[in-house]
Amino acid sequence: MKIKTLIWAALFLLLFISHTFALRSKKPEFRFQQLYRYDTRQDDHQLYTNRMSLMFNYLDKKEKSLFKITPFFEIRRNIDRDVWERKELGIEIGKDIFPWLYLGQAIQQGWMKEDHRFYANYEKREYSESETRLLLSQSLLSSKYVKLKGFILDEYSYNFDIREGTRNELVIGLIMPVGKYIETAINLRHIDRIHYYDSDTFEASVTLVF
């Protein structure tokens, strides 16, 4: 418990200090994503997710991105079971190592009504975890009318309560902006619930960006 408290306190203190004292920062980017997920392996596992985030991008003296801090909130509904399956509140710090490579580390508190050990059963519980994100992206098409980006994402989750890794997720997909304020995406995701069952999902999303 002390470790989790210290980590949360350190991240929010970093956000406060960066926002208060940083000399150069871009305008915060607000994102509201609506995502649909269909699981090809598990029954009763159609999910609808809303995710809101606010990204602060801090710059160095050369106006290059130094690091990013992103508070977020996510809520996920199981359409088949008609239940709010998971809620998450957290903050992520990350950096663009290269124009095509992003590395992020998030700390999040979650409330869930599911059992990652065997999906046919579910239970209500709270959890605290870290999530490491490695994102590779590349522009595939860029013209006056159409832009298309490909990406590969790996997410590894570690649960502080049980002190072990719980999920490793690998995603491959495409992102296409529609106008100035909308992004659409489709992707395939493999979810390895470490020591337990796996999922292969198809996802489609629309994101408002301001």
Side-chain angles (χ1 to χ4, degrees):
M1 180 62 71
K2 290 183 178 180
I3 295 177
K4 290 188 293 184
T5 302
L6 288 174
I7 293 174
W8 275 100
L11 284 174
F12 279 105
L13 181 61
L14 178 60
L15 174 61
F16 174 76
I17 292 175
S18 301
H19 183 65
T20 304
F21 298 104
L23 297 178
R24 295 178 176 86
S25 63
K26 289 186 177 181
K27 178 183 176 182
E29 180 183 86
F30 175 77
R31 301 176 69 89
F32 177 57
Q33 182 189 66
Q34 300 180 73
L35 179 144
Y36 170 77
R37 175 185 293 179
Y38 175 76
D39 195 326
T40 62
R41 289 197 186 191
Q42 312 299 328
D43 295 330
D44 301 329
H45 207 188
Q46 296 184 78
L47 304 177
Y48 178 72
T49 299
N50 288 333
R51 181 183 178 94
M52 292 181 289
S53 64
L54 187 64
M55 183 185 72
F56 299 89
N57 189 358
Y58 296 98
L59 311 176
D60 61 17
K61 294 181 180 180
K62 297 181 180 180
E63 299 296 323
K64 294 183 179 180
S65 179
L66 187 60
F67 60 90
K68 301 174 182 178
I69 298 180
T70 309
F72 61 87
F73 174 71
E74 181 176 306
I75 185 168
R76 188 170 77 190
R77 186 171 187 82
N78 186 309
I79 300 173
D80 296 302
R81 294 182 174 180
D82 193 24
V83 62
W84 292 106
E85 189 175 86
R86 181 178 297 199
K87 302 172 185 177
E88 291 181 340
L89 176 65
I91 185 170
E92 178 175 318
I93 180 170
K95 181 174 178 61
D96 294 313
I97 308 300
F98 300 106
W100 48 269
L101 176 62
Y102 170 83
L103 178 63
Q105 182 65 53
I107 300 294
Q108 55 203 35
Q109 177 69 29
W111 301 265
M112 65 189 298
K113 290 184 179 180
E114 65 171 306
D115 191 339
H116 67 273
R117 293 166 296 183
F118 183 64
Y119 189 74
N121 300 320
Y122 68 94
E123 59 187 3
K124 184 177 180 180
R125 62 187 180 90
E126 296 184 16
Y127 61 92
S128 297
E129 64 182 12
S130 70
E131 185 174 271
T132 304
R133 304 177 74 245
L134 184 66
L135 174 65
L136 294 88
S137 60
Q138 178 63 46
S139 176
L140 302 177
L141 179 63
S142 181
S143 67
K144 182 178 180 180
Y145 301 103
V146 180
K147 294 183 179 180
L148 188 65
K149 180 188 293 186
F151 71 93
I152 298 175
L153 170 67
D154 184 75
E155 297 178 334
Y156 174 79
S157 300
Y158 178 86
N159 188 301
F160 292 115
D161 300 307
I162 60 178
R163 298 183 181 181
E164 66 179 28
T166 54
R167 297 186 310 279
N168 190 63
E169 306 184 31
L170 182 63
V171 187
I172 182 169
L174 299 170
I175 298 174
M176 186 176 70
V178 179
K180 186 177 180 180
Y181 301 109
I182 300 176
E183 283 184 358
T184 61
I186 56 173
N187 57 261
L188 300 175
R189 180 185 299 260
H190 175 75
I191 306 173
D192 176 13
R193 295 170 180 82
I194 301 171
H195 309 306
Y196 301 107
Y197 74 98
D198 293 357
S199 290
D200 290 307
T201 69
F202 168 78
E203 299 176 348
S205 66
V206 176
T207 304
L208 303 179
V209 184
F210 298 98

